[in-house]
C-alpha cells in the first residue's frame, strides 16, 4: 500500500515538470512526515552523508576532465585521425564520424557536446562531399551516444554509486561492448553507403596517419591513463579521475593551446554547475532508495517475481522494456539512480552478474538518448542540421534499430561484457 | 545582488579547482615519497597528507550545495517535461510556477532541518561559548576524523546552500511571473567551433527538448533573446 502511494506521488510530482531531484526529495519528506515512525534525525544524517563517499567524487573530476577537452580543436584532431584511418572505405566520412564520435565522446564524457562538436565540423564536409543530409545526421546522432558505454563513463559511476559495484570492473566491462557497438554502427553506415554508392575519400598515406595519430594521441591518452591507472592499481577510480582532470588541463592549455589560462575559471564553473546538478540528484536519490529499502520494496518485488515463476529471461526482458519506456521521460543519470536500487536486488537474486546488469542499463540509456521526446542528442542534432525532429527521427531509424538489436545481444550474452574484467582478474 | 551572484560563482569555481589540486597533490606525493632521492624523500615523508581525501569530500559537498543553487539560476536542473510542454501556455505557466515553488518549499524545509541539526551538533555550544553564555546541558559537537574540524562547520553547507537555493527558486519564480521567461542551460555547448560553418551557430539555449519546461516565448523569440537571460554566461 505504502509502496503504491510513494510511487504514485513521485510520478505525479515528476509529471508537473519540477526538477527530478525536487520530486524525489518532496516524496521522501511526505513519506517521512506522514507514513513512518523513522526518526527524522536519522534521515537528517542521511541528508549529509548522502554524497560523502570518495567514490562519488569521481563524477565532478571526470566532468572537469571532459570539459577541458570538449573543444572544437580536439574534435578536429579526432576527425582528422579517424578519416585518415577509415576514410577510404565505403561511406568514408560517415565511418570517420562513427570513429571520431566514439573517441571524442569517451574523452569529453558528454553525448550532446559530442554531437555538436563532431557534427558541426563533419556534417558540412559530408554535405560538400555529396552525402545526403539525413545520412550524416543519423550517423552523428547515434554515434554521439557511444560515450556512456566507452569508459570513463559518468553513467557507470552513477550505477556503481547506486549498487556498490566496482567502478573499475564496470569500466573494463564497457570496453568490448563499446567497441562492438561502434562496429555495429559503423557496419550499418558502411552497408548503407555501399548500397547507395556514396563517395569515398582518397586513401591516406602511412605518414599522414602517423601524424594524425600523434596529434590526437594526447587526448586519447586520457583513456589509457584512467584505464591503465585503475587496472594496475596505481590509482583508485576517483584518483584516476582527478589525475585525468589535471592531465586534461595540461593538454588543453599547454599542449594543444586550445584555451588560455584565463579560460580555466569558466571551464571550472561550467563543470561545477553540471556536477552539482548530478550530485543533487544523487543526494535525493540516496534518500529515496533509503525509504524504498525501509519499506522492503525490492524484496517484495523479487519475491513476487520468483513466486510467479518468472526467471532471468523474463526479468531481463521486463527490465529492458521498463528502461526503454523510462528513456521517454528522463535523462540517463536519473533513470540509473532511480531504477538501479529497485531492480538491482532482484537481478542479484536471480543470479545476474552485477557488472553485466550495469552494462545492460547503460546500453539502454544510449538508446534513450537518440529518440524523442527527450533524447538530447536528437534535439542538438536538429539544431545543427536545421532538420525537424520528425524528419530526423526517421533518419536515425536504421542505426537505432541496429542499436536495439545490439541491446538484445548484450542482454542475453553476458560473456560479451564480463569476459574482459574476468580475464583481467577484476571481478 | 550582482555581488551575491559573483560570490556564488567565485566560490564554486574555487571549490572544484581546489579539490582537484588537493587530490592530485596527494597522489603525486604518495608516489614521489617512494622515490629514493636523498633529502627530497625525507622531506616528503615528513609531510602528512592523509587528510586530503576528507578535505576533497568536504570541498565537494560545499561545491554541490552551492552549485545546486547556482544551477537553479542557470536552469540546469532537469525534469520530466514531456507532459507539461504539451499543455496550453496558460496551464503550463501555472505548473511551472508550482514546480518552482515546490523547489523553494523543499529547499526551505531542508534548510530548516539542516539548520537545526547543525545547531544541535555543536553550533549551539560553539556560539554560546564564544559569547560567554551559560553552557548547561549543551554538549560540544563532534569533529571530523582526519582534519579534526568541528562537524557543525562542515555541515553548515546544508542550511547555507539550501537557503540560497530556496532564494534562487523564489527569484526565478518571480522572474517567470513577471516576464514569462525561464533560465536555460545549453547542454551541448562547445567552444572553438566558430569557423566550423553554419551548423555551429545554432542556439543551444533554445532547444525544444523535453528535459526542461518550455517557457512562454515562441520558439522564434527564444532564438534571438535566449542568450541575454542566461546570467551565468552572458556576463
Amino acid at each position: 500500500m505504502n509502496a503504491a502511494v510513494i510511487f504514485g506521488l513521485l510520478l505525479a510530482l515528476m509529471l508537473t515538470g519540477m526538477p527530478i531531484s525536487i520530486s524525489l526529495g518532496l516524496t521522501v519528506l511526505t513519506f517521512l512526515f506522514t507514513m513512518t515512525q523513522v526518526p527524522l534525525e536519522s534521515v537528517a544524517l542521511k541528508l549529509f552523508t548522502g554524497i560523502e563517499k570518495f567514490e562519488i567524487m569521481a563524477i565532478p573530476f571526470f566532468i572537469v576532465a571532459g570539459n577541458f577537452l570538449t573543444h572544437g580543436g580536439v574534435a578536429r584532431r579526432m576527425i582528422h585521425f579517424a578519416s585518415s584511418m577509415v576514410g577510404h572505405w565505403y561511406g568514408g566520412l560517415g565511418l570517420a564520424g562513427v570513429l571520431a564520435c566514439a573517441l571524442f565522446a569517451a574523452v569529453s564524457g558528454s553525448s550532446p557536446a559530442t554531437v555538436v562538436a563532431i557534427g558541426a565540423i563533419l556534417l558540412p564536409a559530408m554535405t560538400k562531399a555529396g552525402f545526403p543530409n539525413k545520412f550524416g545526421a543519423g550517423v552523428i546522432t547515434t554515434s554521439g551516444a557511444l560515450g556512456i558505454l566507452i569508459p570513463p563513463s559518468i553513467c557507470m559511476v552513477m550505477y556503481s554509486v547506486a549498487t556498490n559495484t566496482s567502478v573499475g570492473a564496470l569500466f573494463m566491462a564497457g570496453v568490448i561492448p563499446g567497441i562492438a557497438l561502434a562496429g555495429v554502427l559503423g557496419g550499418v553506415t558502411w552497408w548503407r553507403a555501399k548500397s547507395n554508392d556514396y563517395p569515398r575519400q582518397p586513401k591516406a598515406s602511412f605518414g599522414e596517419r602517423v601524424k594524425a595519430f600523434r596529434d590526437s594521441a594526447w587526448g586519447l591518452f586520457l583513456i589509457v591513463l584512467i584505464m591503465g591507472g585503475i587496472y594496475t592499481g596505481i590509482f583508485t577510480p576517483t584518483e584516476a579521475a582527478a589525475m585525468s582532470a589535471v592531465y586534461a588541463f595540461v593538454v588543453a592549455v599547454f599542449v594543444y593551446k586550445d584555451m588560455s589560462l584565463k579560460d580555466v575559471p569558466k571551464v571550472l564553473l561550467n563543470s561545477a554547475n553540471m556536477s552539482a546538478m548530478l550530485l543533487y540528484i544523487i543526494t535525493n536519490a540516496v534518500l529515496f532508495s533509503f525509504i524504498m529499502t525501509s519499506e522492503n520494496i525490492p524484496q517484495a518485488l523479487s519475491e513476487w517475481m520468483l513466486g510467479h515463476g518468472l526467471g532471468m529471461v523474463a526479468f531481463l526482458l521486463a527490465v529492458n522494456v521498463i528502461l526503454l519506456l523510462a528513456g521517454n521521460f528522463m535523462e540517463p543519470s536519473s533513470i540509473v539512480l532511480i531504477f538501479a536500487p529497485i531492480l538491482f536486488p532482484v537481478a542479484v537474486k536471480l543470479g545476474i552478474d552485477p557488472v553485466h546488469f550495469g552494462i545492460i542499463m547503460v546500453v539502454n540509456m544510449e538508446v534513450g538518448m537518440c529518440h524523442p521526446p527527450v533524447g538530447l542528442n536528437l534535439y542538438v542534432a536538429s539544431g545543427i542540421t536545421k532538420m525537424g525532429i520528425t524528419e530526423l527521427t526517421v533518419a536515425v531509424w536504421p542505426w537505432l534499430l541496429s542499436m536495439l538489436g545490439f541491446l538484445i545481444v548484450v542482454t542475453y550474452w553476458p560473456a560479451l561484457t564480463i569476459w574482459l574484467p574476468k580475464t583481467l582478474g577484476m571481478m | 545582488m550582482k555581488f551575491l551572484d559573483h560570490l556564488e560563482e567565485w566560490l564554486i569555481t574555487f571549490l572544484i579547482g581546489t579539490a582537484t589540486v588537493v587530490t592530485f597533490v596527494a597522489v603525486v606525493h604518495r608516489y614521489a615519497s617512494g622515490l629514493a632521492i636523498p633529502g627530497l624523500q625525507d622531506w616528503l615523508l615528513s609531510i602528512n597528507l592523509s587528510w586530503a581525501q576528507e578535505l576533497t569530500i568536504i570541498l565537494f559537498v560545499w561545491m554541490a550545495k552551492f552549485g545546486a543553487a547556482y544551477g537553479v539560476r542557470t536552469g540546469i536542473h532537469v525534469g520530466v517535461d514531456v507532459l507539461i510542454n504539451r499543455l496550453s501556455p496558460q496551464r503550463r505557466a501555472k505548473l511551472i510556477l508550482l514546480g518552482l515553488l515546490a523547489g523553494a518549499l523543499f529547499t526551505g524545509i531542508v534548510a530548516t532541518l539542516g539548520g537545526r541539526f547543525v545547531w544541535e551538533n555543536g553550533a549551539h555550544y560553539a556560539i554560546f561559548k564564544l559569547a560567554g553564555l551559560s553552557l548547561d546541558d549543551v554538549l560540544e559537537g563532534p569533529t571530523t576524523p582526519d582534519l579534526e574540524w568541528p562537524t557543525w562547520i562542515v555541515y553548515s553547507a546544508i542550511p547555507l546552500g539550501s537557503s540560497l537555493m530556496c532564494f534562487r527558486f523564489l527569484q526565478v519564480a518571480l522572474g517567470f511571473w513577471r516576464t514569462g521567461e525561464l533560465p536555460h542551460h545549453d547542454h551541448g555547448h562547445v567552444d572553438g567551433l566558430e569557423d566550423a560553418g553554419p551548423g555551429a551557430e545554432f542556439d543551444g539555449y533554445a532547444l525544444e527538448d523535453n528535459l526542461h519546461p518550455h517557457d512562454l516565448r515562441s520558439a522564434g523569440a527564444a532564438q534571438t533573446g535566449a542568450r541575454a537571460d542566461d546570467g551565468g554566461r552572458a556576463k
Side-chain angles (χ1 to χ4, degrees):
Chain A
M1 182 55 214
N2 274 356
V5 176
I6 295 170
F7 282 108
L9 184 64
L10 179 65
L11 195 66
L13 287 176
M14 284 210 279
L15 287 179
T16 65
M18 66 179 69
I20 288 174
S21 41
I22 301 293
S23 348
L24 284 166
L26 278 176
T27 309
V28 173
L29 283 185
T30 315
F31 174 79
L32 288 174
F33 283 128
T34 60
M35 285 185 255
T36 180
Q37 264 71 51
V38 178
L40 213 55
E41 282 69 37
S42 75
V43 180
L45 204 66
K46 260 286 186 259
L47 206 65
F48 306 115
T49 53
I51 54 170
E52 270 193 353
K53 277 193 204 156
F54 196 56
E55 292 73 47
I56 297 180
M57 303 313 160
I59 293 169
F61 284 140
F62 279 134
I63 291 177
V64 173
N67 277 1
F68 272 116
L69 294 176
T70 303
H71 194 275
V74 179
R76 230 169 246 122
R77 291 180 189 94
M78 303 264 179
I79 291 171
H80 193 205
F81 169 59
S83 63
S84 79
M85 296 306 286
V86 296
H88 57 288
W89 293 345
Y90 276 106
L93 283 178
L95 283 179
V98 176
L99 185 56
C101 277
L103 300 176
F104 188 79
V107 170
S108 78
S110 160
S111 295
T114 302
V115 175
V116 172
I118 304 290
I121 299 169
L122 198 61
L123 288 177
M126 286 178 80
T127 317
K128 209 191 258 171
F131 289 90
N133 223 343
K134 60 179 192 185
F135 180 82
V139 172
I140 304 292
T141 308
T142 44
S143 307
L146 280 168
I148 56 175
L149 190 52
I150 301 175
S153 153
I154 288 159
C155 217
M156 289 182 193
V157 182
M158 293 278 191
Y159 177 82
S160 107
V161 167
T163 63
N164 280 324
T165 312
S166 145
V167 180
L170 278 166
F171 278 7
M172 250 346 144
V175 172
I176 294 182
I179 295 171
L181 182 54
V184 169
L185 295 176
V188 176
T189 310
W190 181 83
W191 169 70
R192 306 239 328 148
K194 189 165 193 272
S195 46
N196 288 315
D197 200 22
Y198 290 147
R200 302 156 71 157
Q201 300 295 109
K203 188 171 176 174
S205 72
F206 183 73
E208 282 168 336
R209 284 181 180 177
V210 171
K211 192 182 170 301
F213 175 72
R214 279 218 319 254
D215 277 348
S216 58
W218 286 102
L220 296 176
F221 186 71
L222 186 87
I223 308 173
V224 180
L225 178 78
I226 293 167
M227 299 303 282
I230 297 176
Y231 171 61
T232 55
I234 297 176
F235 313 129
T236 66
T238 306
E239 285 171 351
M243 298 307 272
S244 70
V246 174
Y247 174 80
F249 158 74
V250 172
V251 169
V253 176
F254 298 112
V255 180
Y256 283 162
K257 298 194 174 72
D258 284 334
M259 57 180 77
S260 63
L261 273 174
K262 71 175 196 303
D263 297 323
V264 171
K266 203 185 83 190
V267 173
L268 288 176
L269 183 63
N270 285 338
S271 314
N273 196 13
M274 177 57 83
S275 320
M277 186 268 280
L278 294 175
L279 291 173
Y280 202 67
I281 300 180
I282 294 181
T283 318
N284 291 297
V286 166
L287 280 175
F288 185 70
S289 68
F290 172 72
I291 64 165
M292 302 256 278
T293 321
S294 83
E295 286 293 297
N296 286 325
I297 290 169
Q299 286 86 333
L301 185 66
S302 55
E303 268 159 35
W304 183 87
M305 295 271 322
L306 293 171
H308 283 69
L310 292 170
M312 196 161 96
V313 175
F315 172 71
L316 286 177
L317 185 69
V319 166
N320 280 330
V321 172
I322 292 171
L323 292 178
L324 289 175
L325 284 177
N328 284 314
F329 300 96
M330 285 185 263
E331 48 81 48
S333 318
S334 318
I335 299 179
V336 169
L337 284 170
I338 294 174
F339 285 93
I342 308 174
L343 300 173
F344 180 75
V346 188
V348 170
K349 206 158 215 177
L350 289 170
I352 298 164
D353 188 275
V355 172
H356 177 219
F357 194 65
I359 302 297
I360 296 175
M361 285 196 87
V362 170
V363 176
N364 258 298
M365 300 303 101
E366 285 193 15
V367 177
M369 303 202 74
C370 306
H371 66 76
V374 297
L376 256 183
N377 281 12
L378 202 71
Y379 288 89
V380 173
S382 144
I384 296 177
T385 56
K386 309 275 185 292
M387 286 166 76
I389 290 294
T390 325
E391 195 189 350
L392 199 59
T393 310
V394 176
V396 163
W397 261 115
W399 288 271
L400 201 58
L401 270 183
S402 63
M403 243 185 190
L404 283 170
F406 181 77
L407 174 62
I408 296 170
V409 174
V410 167
T411 307
Y412 292 110
W413 187 24
L416 182 70
T417 48
I418 57 182
W419 176 79
L420 185 63
K422 272 240 165 79
T423 310
L424 295 175
M426 296 183 79
M427 54 182 275
Chain B
M1 202 58 67
K2 270 271 174 292
F3 173 73
L4 184 65
D5 288 359
H6 287 309
L7 184 70
E8 184 182 63
E9 287 164 17
W10 182 86
L11 179 71
I12 59 176
T13 307
F14 168 77
L15 289 170
I16 199 169
T18 313
T20 313
V21 173
V22 166
T23 307
F24 176 75
V25 169
V27 175
V28 170
H29 170 263
R30 189 173 74 215
Y31 285 99
S33 54
L35 302 173
I37 303 167
L40 181 70
Q41 190 176 31
D42 297 332
W43 177 67
L44 285 173
L45 285 173
S46 69
I47 306 170
N48 177 9
L49 283 179
S50 58
W51 43 264
Q53 189 157 325
E54 190 176 288
L55 181 62
T56 306
I57 292 174
I58 295 173
L59 290 169
F60 271 141
V61 170
W62 278 71
M63 187 278 288
K65 299 303 164 193
F66 287 91
Y70 173 69
V72 175
R73 181 152 68 86
T74 58
I76 201 176
H77 290 282
V78 289
V80 179
D81 297 287
V82 177
L83 194 69
I84 66 163
N85 283 342
R86 281 158 207 253
L87 298 176
S88 69
Q90 288 81 9
R91 285 190 191 164
R92 189 164 72 227
K94 282 189 191 124
L95 282 173
I96 290 174
L97 266 182
L98 175 80
L100 291 169
L101 293 177
L105 174 72
F106 175 69
T107 48
I109 295 175
V110 169
T112 320
L113 286 177
R116 213 163 66 193
F117 182 87
V118 166
W119 182 249
E120 284 162 7
N121 274 274
H124 191 171
Y125 180 88
I127 291 168
F128 271 41
K129 193 176 172 194
L130 201 69
L133 295 168
S134 82
L135 286 164
D136 303 335
D137 305 331
V138 181
L139 295 175
E140 192 175 352
T143 55
T144 62
D146 294 329
L147 289 163
E148 295 179 0
W149 289 354
T151 49
W152 71 269
I153 294 184
V154 174
Y155 286 150
S156 53
I158 317 278
L160 292 176
S162 286
S163 310
L164 182 63
M165 198 166 170
C166 181
F167 170 72
R168 292 298 183 200
F169 268 118
L170 293 172
Q171 205 181 20
V172 172
L174 187 68
F176 177 72
W177 196 47
R178 278 196 190 140
T179 62
E181 286 175 20
L182 286 172
H184 287 268
H185 177 78
D186 177 5
H187 283 276
H189 181 77
V190 182
D191 279 324
L193 290 173
E194 290 73 21
D195 52 346
E201 289 159 16
F202 89 103
D203 190 349
Y205 294 96
L207 293 181
E208 296 290 299
D209 64 278
N210 285 303
L211 291 172
H212 297 93
H214 303 165
D215 55 21
L216 301 183
R217 294 167 302 172
S218 66
Q223 294 284 350
T224 51
R227 273 178 201 277
D229 69 319
D230 188 79
R233 284 193 190 191
K235 278 176 280 203

